[in-house]
Amino acid sequence: MKYLSCVEKQVSKPSQKLMSSETPAESPEVPAENTMSLEVPDVEGKVKSSDNPVERQEAGSDEEECLEPMSKRQRKKLLKQKQWEEQKDLRRQKRKEKRQKRKLERQSKLDSNHEGNDRKRMRREVVPSTLRLIVDCSFDDLMVLKDVKKLHKQIQRCYAENRKAFHPVQFYLTSHGGQLKSNMNENDKGWVNWKDIQIRTEHYSELIKKEDLVYLTSDSPAVLGELDEKKAYVIGGLVDHNHHKGITYKKAVEQGIGHAQLPLGNFVKMNSRKVLAVNHGKF
């Protein structure tokens, strides 16, 4: 600033001299106009050159920083930061879904515990029946694999319903083997752990007295009026689409055992033959 004031004094002196001179034309001094035009740019140049050197250095350093190339590690760090910011909403949504999933799992666990307790209570209240029900599986060679699979499903339904009943019957599968056993091994390996059922390879006549057997067949002339708790009722395990009509009735007659048909006509109107599936015959 001192330098600037000194320059201004030097600029003002020639102008004062011109004003006091009586003969400006004879004066050897340079005209005021020329003096101003020479001196002022000088002053301005000096003023500009008097800018703060620290600021110039900082400005230069900023430009150098901008021009300095970014390292690979810095670029990866910036990219990760950007991705983290972009995925913030997605992470929040995932946390919410996870909380909801845990909540549902806890609720499901509580429900299953209640259901298990209810089942235990029901099992304690069960009173098994003395009635015996037998599915005769000795017709394996008369069925194609497709029909064997249908028979397997019907047996599964019988087993499941009997397990849930308050008065379950004594359930038997006899003459078990062949295609039926192979299909059960392939598609229902848990059958070996079935409870409250006797799965036997023997024929039913080897397990139960002849006088206690009653074959349920729609071709029998006798109609079953009531169930006898001391009897064992046999259902033919056959899915044949009426290809072997009367086969179960003939079998009962040949073996000399009792036979009867269910009183379906008294309760159900049927337009075709009174032939039922295995699970229909049971229940």
Side-chain angles (χ1 to χ4, degrees), residues 52-65:
N52 193 339
V54 178
E55 292 179 358
R56 287 201 307 273
Q57 186 178 356
E58 289 179 353
S61 62
D62 290 342
E63 291 177 359
E64 289 176 1
E65 287 178 2

Side-chain angles (χ1 to χ4, degrees), residues 42-159:
D42 235 2
V43 173
E44 291 177 355
K46 291 177 180 178
V47 171
K48 286 181 180 178
S49 64
S50 66
D51 288 344
N52 193 339
V54 178
E55 292 179 358
R56 287 201 307 273
Q57 186 178 356
E58 289 179 353
S61 62
D62 290 342
E63 291 177 359
E64 289 176 1
E65 287 178 2
C66 293
L67 296 174
E68 184 181 352
M70 188 179 294
S71 66
K72 187 176 180 180
R73 182 177 295 178
Q74 288 174 327
R75 285 197 300 271
K76 287 178 69 176
K77 188 175 181 180
L78 288 174
L79 181 62
K80 284 185 179 180
Q81 181 68 20
K82 184 179 178 182
Q83 290 176 346
W84 191 85
E85 291 291 340
E86 289 175 349
Q87 295 176 358
K88 188 180 293 184
D89 293 338
L90 180 61
R91 289 196 303 275
R92 187 182 296 112
Q93 181 65 23
K94 284 185 177 180
R95 287 195 298 269
K96 184 177 179 181
E97 290 175 357
K98 196 172 182 180
R99 287 195 299 269
Q100 290 177 345
K101 185 179 179 180
R102 286 200 298 266
K103 184 178 179 181
L104 290 174
E105 287 176 352
R106 288 195 298 269
Q107 186 63 39
S108 177
K109 190 174 181 180
L110 289 173
D111 293 342
S112 62
N113 288 338
H114 289 313
E115 186 178 352
N117 293 333
D118 292 341
R119 285 181 179 177
K120 288 179 181 178
R121 185 170 61 255
M122 288 172 62
R123 295 304 298 173
R124 286 196 298 268
E125 295 172 357
V126 165
V127 179
S129 172
T130 58
L131 187 70
R132 290 163 289 180
L133 185 68
I134 302 166
V135 177
D136 177 16
C137 302
S138 62
F139 305 99
D140 191 80
D141 58 330
L142 300 179
M143 293 182 288
V144 296
L145 181 60
K146 181 180 178 181
D147 292 333
V148 170
K149 290 181 177 180
K150 289 181 180 179
L151 175 61
H152 176 206
K153 289 183 179 180
Q154 292 173 7
I155 292 171
Q156 284 177 317
R157 293 192 193 103
C158 289
Y159 171 73

Side-chain angles (χ1 to χ4, degrees), residues 182-228:
S182 299
N183 184 72
M184 292 174 70
N185 286 335
E186 183 178 351
N187 301 308
D188 186 16
K189 294 180 180 179
W191 71 269
V192 295
N193 298 319
W194 283 2
K195 298 177 180 179
D196 301 327
I197 184 173
Q198 292 195 43
I199 302 177
R200 310 290 291 270
T201 58
E202 298 91 340
H203 192 268
Y204 55 81
S205 59
E206 300 176 38
L207 303 173
I208 298 171
K209 294 178 182 180
K210 186 176 181 180
E211 56 269 23
D212 291 340
L213 291 168
V214 178
Y215 216 115
L216 298 177
T217 170
S218 61
D219 297 302
S220 173
V223 179
L224 188 67
E226 60 180 4
L227 292 173
D228 187 346

Side-chain angles (χ1 to χ4, degrees), residues 172-186:
Y172 292 77
L173 292 184
T174 60
S175 303
H176 183 256
Q179 297 182 91
L180 178 61
K181 184 177 180 180
S182 299
N183 184 72
M184 292 174 70
N185 286 335
E186 183 178 351

Side-chain angles (χ1 to χ4, degrees), residues 19-45:
M19 290 176 66
S20 60
S21 176
E22 293 179 357
T23 57
E26 296 176 359
S27 174
E29 297 290 339
V30 181
E33 293 180 2
N34 292 341
T35 305
M36 291 298 292
S37 61
L38 291 173
E39 296 294 336
V40 172
D42 235 2
V43 173
E44 291 177 355

